[in-house]
Amino acid sequence: MKHSDHTGRYAVLYPAIAEAARRCAAERVGLIDVGRPAGLNLNVDRVGIFYGDNQTLGDVSSPVQLECLVVGDRRIPSVPIPDVAARIVLDRAPLDMCNPVHRNRIRPADDRSPHLDDEIALAESSPPQQISGEPITALADAVSCVPDRALPVVITTWSLSRFSPERRRRFVHALGEVSSARRTAWVSVEGVGVVPTIPTLGDRPVSGHSIIGLTVFEPSTALPRFDVAGDALGRCWSRGRFMSWFA
């Protein structure tokens, strides 16, 4: 079976991760990609992203250069992602980009993306740590792999939508539990109403766009709770080809 839709959604993730680090005054981050077995999102700081109006974030010398159209009157903040101290894939069956069979699984027969091969090569050049397991129960293991002085940043990009509403609440519960010893951030890019902690802004659930969210779990909120409040940072369309920012 081929796994479609595994390419990185760098344009929306980059400013959201940078905002998480800024709010938490973090000089280093550890990225945990949940539910994306190839883990291509983990190279978000290693690609170049052009937002128009002479604004570029990321690595301008990277073989992966992408464009994102920004709509609305707010520019994307020119805040860089700090040093990435850990890159971790958390999935039931992670894919190894150094394995030709696994590489073949993420390209659908009709995929013509000019960037995918370069993204795979980038992932192959610096393989992430892999944790195989059910995302909710293995989340604590993933967070424990992030160095102590780095901020764990959990990433979900259109993966939580495959969870039932009850599993989504359990995922929030698990994030609250792992934050009992350390602050943990969750950057989410999901459909309207999918993430329990992110407001819908009055948008309808089936509206054709997604909401970029940020939820920070403080150690003081570590008791099992479902009422942790996050912020909507922006909206995006076409899996990140277009976005608006209003954080």
Side-chain angles (χ1 to χ4, degrees):
M1 176 180 178
K2 290 186 181 292
H3 297 260
S4 61
D5 193 31
H6 285 285
T7 55
R9 305 307 174 194
Y10 310 112
V12 293
L13 286 176
Y14 194 103
I17 294 170
E19 176 66 10
R22 186 193 70 80
R23 292 190 184 188
C24 297
E27 297 181 356
R28 305 173 75 202
V29 295
L31 305 180
I32 303 169
D33 198 6
V34 176
R36 292 292 177 188
L40 299 185
N41 286 333
L42 297 171
N43 289 310
V44 58
D45 61 317
R46 303 177 66 206
V47 306
I49 310 159
F50 178 65
Y51 292 97
D53 198 20
N54 295 318
Q55 184 181 24
T56 300
L57 293 175
D59 184 356
V60 297
S61 64
S62 171
V64 180
Q65 298 293 321
L66 305 173
E67 295 184 6
C68 176
L69 177 63
V70 178
V71 298
D73 57 1
R74 285 184 178 266
R75 284 171 57 91
I76 304 301
S78 295
V79 178
I81 291 177
D83 178 57
V84 178
R87 304 173 199 269
I88 302 163
V89 176
L90 172 56
D91 190 76
R92 291 177 181 272
L95 298 175
D96 180 2
M97 292 298 94
C98 296
N99 184 323
V101 175
H102 286 192
R103 289 199 303 267
N104 186 54
R105 288 179 183 172
I106 73 167
R107 182 186 287 282
D110 60 350
D111 187 279
R112 296 180 177 84
S113 169
H115 303 293
L116 185 54
D117 288 338
D118 288 334
E119 292 183 55
I120 292 173
L122 202 59
E124 185 179 3
S125 69
S126 181
Q129 182 175 352
Q130 296 183 341
I131 295 182
S132 178
E134 209 286 329
I136 295 172
T137 57
L139 187 60
D141 292 336
V143 171
S144 70
C145 292
V146 176
D148 289 341
R149 294 184 179 274
L151 171 71
V153 180
V154 176
I155 300 169
T156 64
T157 53
W158 299 287
S159 54
L160 209 68
S161 60
R162 298 194 294 269
F163 287 26
S164 68
E166 174 58 27
R167 286 189 71 210
R168 295 171 196 170
R169 290 190 289 268
R170 288 175 55 208
F171 186 75
V172 175
H173 184 135
L175 280 164
E177 288 186 326
V178 300
S179 71
S180 60
R182 65 195 299 187
R183 177 187 284 166
T184 302
W186 175 20
V187 168
S188 56
V189 187
E190 305 281 355
V192 177
V194 170
V195 178
T197 61
I198 301 300
T200 62
L201 309 175
D203 300 344
R204 294 182 301 172
V206 184
S207 54
H209 68 269
S210 300
I211 295 180
I212 307 161
L214 171 60
T215 309
V216 176
F217 293 80
E218 301 284 354
S220 60
T221 64
L223 292 177
R225 295 175 58 189
F226 297 149
D227 60 346
V228 179
D231 292 324
L233 303 180
R235 296 182 177 94
C236 69
W237 296 260
S238 299
R239 299 296 195 184
R241 293 180 179 88
F242 305 86
M243 69 178 292
S244 66
W245 185 263
F246 43 79

